[in-house]
């Protein structure tokens, strides 16, 4: 297990803050949300692994949820998709020794965005049942456009991530993929 140091903790906090801000800048259309809040989670998980990915995802989304909606019965449920995202991407990156090909990056980012969409659909369903606004149209009506958006975001992320990761490693003075910050 990697040791957490102050510099890395500060970087994780910065990524969590970016996650929050990107969540706030989202475009909301009924049950479809266009956002890039998973990008800093991906970067943190691809740089440092699953522990950092989970922390960035949960903290960033928690702050976003508290600022936007306050505390509700489903606050924790809304945090889970992004925490799971950080966990799975971080585990995959660690398994590959943080050195992914463009194809692997494409696969993991598209799969990640599709998983977030699937998990968020489940959360919408639970939330709508708890708060009494459930209908198939609300929960599943925008599913096909949301899936298409997820695939598109995954592809875009896979294209820009190699450049972002290289810049982040240079800024953090990381010699090789996965090295401590």
């Amino acid at each position: 297990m990697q040791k957490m140091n102050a510099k890395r903790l500060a970087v994780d906090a910065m990524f969590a803050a970016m996650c929050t801000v990107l969540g706030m800048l989202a475009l909301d259309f009924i049950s479809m949300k266009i956002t890039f809040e998973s990008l800093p989670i991906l970067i943190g998980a691809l740089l440092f692994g699953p522990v950092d990915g989970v922390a960035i995802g949960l903290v960033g989304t928690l702050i976003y949820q508290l600022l936007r909606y306050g505390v509700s019965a489903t606050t924790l449920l809304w945090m889970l998709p992004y925490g799971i995202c950080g966990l799975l991407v971080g585990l995959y990156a660690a398994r590959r020794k943080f050195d992914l090909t463009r194809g692997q990056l494409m696969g993991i980012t598209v799969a990640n965005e599709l998983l977030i969409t699937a998990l968020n659909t489940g959360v919408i369903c639970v939330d709508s049942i708890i708060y009494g606004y459930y209908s198939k149209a609300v929960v599943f009506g925008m599913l096909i456009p949301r899936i298409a958006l997820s695939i598109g975001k995954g592809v875009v992320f896979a294209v820009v991530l190699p450049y972002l990761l290289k810049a982040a490693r240079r800024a953090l003075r990381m010699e090789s993929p996965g090295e401590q910050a």
Side-chain angles (χ1 to χ4, degrees):
M1 182 174 243
Q2 294 181 340
K3 186 180 94 178
M4 182 72 71
N5 62 32
K7 180 179 178 181
R8 193 156 130 203
L9 189 60
V11 171
D12 285 352
M14 178 192 67
F15 284 140
M18 288 171 61
C19 176
T20 301
V21 170
L22 290 172
M24 297 296 276
L25 294 175
L27 299 173
D28 288 318
F29 303 102
I30 306 167
S31 65
M32 189 162 135
K33 178 180 171 186
I34 301 173
T35 177
F36 298 108
E37 69 190 289
S38 61
L39 186 59
I41 301 165
L42 289 168
I43 296 170
L46 290 167
L47 287 174
F48 303 123
V51 173
D52 299 75
V54 168
I56 294 164
L58 292 178
V59 171
T61 309
L62 172 63
I63 295 168
Y64 163 74
Q65 286 292 319
L66 293 175
L67 291 173
R68 183 100 186 241
Y69 304 106
V71 178
S72 74
T74 57
T75 299
L76 292 176
L77 290 177
W78 287 109
M79 294 167 50
L80 281 179
Y82 294 99
I84 291 170
C85 154
L87 174 68
L88 295 179
V89 171
L91 286 171
Y92 185 78
R95 183 173 174 95
R96 301 279 185 238
K97 306 230 185 298
F98 299 93
D99 192 22
L100 281 68
T101 66
R102 287 191 184 268
Q104 291 169 329
L105 207 50
M106 182 71 68
I108 194 66
T109 56
V110 170
N112 173 69
E113 291 302 315
L114 287 169
L115 179 61
I116 288 173
T117 296
L119 293 171
N120 276 336
T121 301
V123 175
I124 290 169
C125 185
V126 171
D127 191 81
S128 67
I129 291 168
I130 289 173
Y131 291 106
Y133 64 91
Y134 177 82
S135 78
K136 287 182 182 177
V138 169
V139 177
F140 302 108
M142 294 294 287
L143 190 55
I144 291 174
R146 289 175 60 227
I147 289 170
L149 177 65
S150 296
I151 293 169
K153 281 176 31 181
V155 169
V156 169
F157 289 169
V159 169
V160 300
L161 273 169
Y163 304 104
L164 295 175
L165 292 170
K166 183 177 179 181
R169 286 185 182 114
R170 190 172 45 245
L172 295 169
R173 294 185 178 88
M174 295 172 71
E175 299 290 322
S176 62
E179 184 181 312
Q180 297 277 336

